[in-house]
Amino acid sequence: MIEKPLLIRPFQKDDEDALVLLWQICELTVPWNNPYKDIARKLELQAELFLVGYLENRLVASVMGGYEGHRGWINYFAVHPEFQKKGYGKQLMDSIEKGLRKMGCPKINLQIRAGNDKVLTYYQNLGFVEDKVISMGKRLVDDQ
């Protein structure tokens, strides 16, 4: 299934524009979250859990992980559409899970935006199950 192994490494500042473009292509950006500000914030905290995946010289995947002592979180998990269904997302998820386990993380949470049902089966195949919770949020900083 995997044609070439994905080179997975921590995000570097030179990756920024290609990464934001990947997120836009994968429809992960929304008006109320400035991706450049999200990147800057992540680099201040657990930057080692902010991973990108390269094939040759092309950034094709990303994941932003975090651990706050109780649960791990997955954000901005993306694989370029041209490279989906080839095992690269699993490689990336395995890598971030390894980093979270190393920190003592017992469970990972992720959120899926309403209407993005096409990814449910994918995450289920990775071992994720639906938690019976209501996710709520409160904006502390307006990025618009």
Side-chain angles (χ1 to χ4, degrees), residues 11-48:
F11 171 87
Q12 297 171 4
K13 191 68 175 159
D14 290 345
D15 300 323
E16 189 171 56
D17 289 333
L19 181 60
V20 171
L21 180 59
L22 172 68
W23 291 347
Q24 290 168 342
I25 290 167
C26 292
E27 300 178 356
L28 296 182
T29 57
V30 290
W32 54 89
N33 283 6
N34 180 316
Y36 291 96
K37 289 181 180 181
D38 284 349
I39 289 169
R41 290 178 185 126
K42 182 59 189 167
L43 292 176
E44 295 293 320
L45 187 63
Q46 298 175 336
E48 69 276 13

Side-chain angles (χ1 to χ4, degrees), residues 61-114:
S62 76
V63 64
M64 188 184 284
Y67 178 52
E68 29 73 344
H70 180 65
R71 294 286 183 255
W73 286 90
I74 300 296
N75 293 291
Y76 284 113
F77 181 71
V79 176
H80 191 287
E82 290 177 25
F83 299 95
Q84 292 176 2
K85 299 183 180 172
K86 297 178 187 271
Y88 298 125
K90 173 125 176 46
Q91 284 183 41
L92 193 60
M93 189 63 78
D94 287 348
S95 188
I96 198 67
E97 285 181 16
K98 181 179 177 183
L100 288 164
R101 277 192 189 97
K102 188 175 173 182
M103 298 175 103
C105 178
K107 181 180 185 246
I108 300 172
N109 289 343
L110 60 81
Q111 295 176 318
I112 299 168
R113 284 200 179 94

Side-chain angles (χ1 to χ4, degrees), residues 109-129:
N109 289 343
L110 60 81
Q111 295 176 318
I112 299 168
R113 284 200 179 94
N116 190 11
D117 297 336
K118 65 184 178 187
V119 300
L120 292 175
T121 301
Y122 177 77
Y123 286 117
Q124 289 167 343
N125 289 336
L126 289 177
F128 286 85
V129 296

